Amino acid sequence: MRLFRAGRKFMSMKTNNKVVQGWDERTVKLIGPGANEKLKNSHVVVFGIGGVGGFAVEALCRAGVSKLTIVDGDIITATNLNRQIIATVNSLGRSKVEVMKERILSINPEAVVYLHHCFVLPGAAMGQFDFAEFDYVIDAVDTVTLKIELAVSAAAASTPIISSMGTGNKLDPSRLEVADIYQTSVCPLAKVMRKELRKRGIKELEVVYSQEEPRKPLDATSDEARTPGSISFVPSAAGLLLAATVVRRLMTLHE
């Protein structure tokens, strides 16, 4: 784990040796100084910094969440360019969490960012995370077994969690919504998750999911057919919904 910290005062931002005052002024106008302070002091962990998770982190940072743990073992590739906020031709081949960290600090240099450049596997590897330290968990990973493990670990620590269901092979972001996993329909991933969570005694899990029927990839006869198609505006919308839900919950947490 590596810790990156910059600056001391939260209300000002240092850039090129200049101090930019009031960067969060518009946020305070909307939510008030008390809620803004809660966001400043909140610690959110995001697992998966891809098309969904990257936009979630961006929105959390710009909303004023100033302590973030980001977890992803992948690097940026050409196939990420169509939908991931950190993917540019200049970032190809670089660690996703490293690039995301730089982006966070370019928005709020006073943020505290913990990086885990690793692929987290269910089981013993989860022991490196103390879920009780987090105020909220965002699951934006692709692997079903890891999604289940994150839900179980968060529940054991009584830490709130929200999980993203499938956004691949979808074209309509307006069909995304926030619901409990047991109230979902249509989404194939949510169906699997419901079954597995019942087995483990998990009675609730807030998720972002789509009611849109998944489309079949146009290369359905190729060896790559199992890789879902994706586009810029569906994963990003899911990530923003994740962040919006977490921010609203954090503002009322512990009242």
Side-chain angles (χ1 to χ4, degrees):
M1 180 185 295
R2 286 188 284 173
L3 172 63
F4 296 84
R5 184 191 298 270
R8 292 185 178 180
K9 291 184 178 180
F10 179 71
M11 293 295 290
S12 64
M13 180 181 296
K14 293 182 179 180
T15 176
N16 296 327
N17 298 319
K18 296 181 180 179
V19 177
V20 179
Q21 298 287 346
W23 74 276
D24 54 357
E25 178 181 331
R26 297 295 183 94
T27 304
V28 175
K29 280 179 176 288
L30 180 64
I31 67 175
N36 190 56
E37 188 69 14
K38 286 184 179 181
L39 296 180
K40 168 189 171 182
N41 294 319
S42 294
H43 185 183
V44 179
V45 59
V46 182
F47 289 87
I49 312 299
V52 175
F55 273 88
V57 172
E58 174 99 356
L60 290 171
C61 174
R62 291 187 186 275
V65 176
S66 62
K67 192 173 184 179
L68 292 157
T69 293
I70 54 177
V71 186
D72 199 306
D74 213 349
I75 62 171
I76 298 168
T77 66
T79 59
N80 302 148
L81 289 169
N82 77 322
R83 69 195 184 285
Q84 298 190 13
I85 196 165
I86 55 174
T88 67
V89 293
N90 293 322
S91 64
L92 292 176
R94 295 190 60 200
S95 158
K96 288 184 178 180
V97 292
E98 289 282 357
V99 176
M100 191 80 249
K101 177 264 298 186
E102 291 176 3
R103 189 170 177 90
I104 292 168
L105 295 181
S106 72
I107 297 166
N108 177 13
E110 297 162 318
V112 177
V113 186
Y114 297 93
L115 304 187
H116 289 266
H117 179 59
C118 62
F119 292 104
V120 180
L121 300 175
M126 293 295 290
Q128 65 184 297
F129 302 101
D130 181 0
F131 282 75
E133 291 185 356
F134 306 125
D135 295 295
Y136 231 101
V137 178
I138 290 181
D139 156 30
V141 302
D142 298 324
T143 309
V144 175
T145 52
L146 181 53
K147 298 179 89 67
I148 294 166
E149 187 81 5
L150 291 173
V152 171
S153 297
S158 298
T159 300
I161 180 173
I162 186 166
S163 178
S164 174
M165 297 294 100
T167 61
N169 296 329
K170 309 286 177 68
L171 273 175
D172 187 356
S174 71
R175 304 300 300 277
L176 290 163
E177 62 179 64
V178 180
D180 183 81
I181 187 70
Y182 295 110
Q183 303 301 317
T184 59
S185 60
V186 180
C187 177
L189 175 56
K191 181 179 180 180
V192 175
M193 290 286 291
R194 290 195 302 270
K195 179 180 178 181
E196 295 301 321
L197 291 173
R198 281 195 186 97
K199 292 179 182 178
R200 292 159 176 80
I202 303 297
K203 297 182 178 180
E204 60 183 10
L205 175 65
E206 193 164 41
V207 301
V208 171
Y209 84 106
S210 175
Q211 291 191 329
E212 180 184 1
E213 290 282 354
R215 294 167 176 259
K216 290 185 179 180
L218 297 180
D219 62 350
T221 60
S222 76
D223 293 336
E224 297 295 324
R226 287 179 296 180
T227 301
S230 192
I231 202 164
S232 60
F233 43 77
V234 177
S236 57
L240 294 176
L241 275 174
L242 289 170
T245 303
V246 169
V247 166
R248 291 197 302 270
R249 301 283 189 268
L250 288 173
M251 289 192 299
T252 59
L253 202 60
H254 307 311
E255 281 191 344

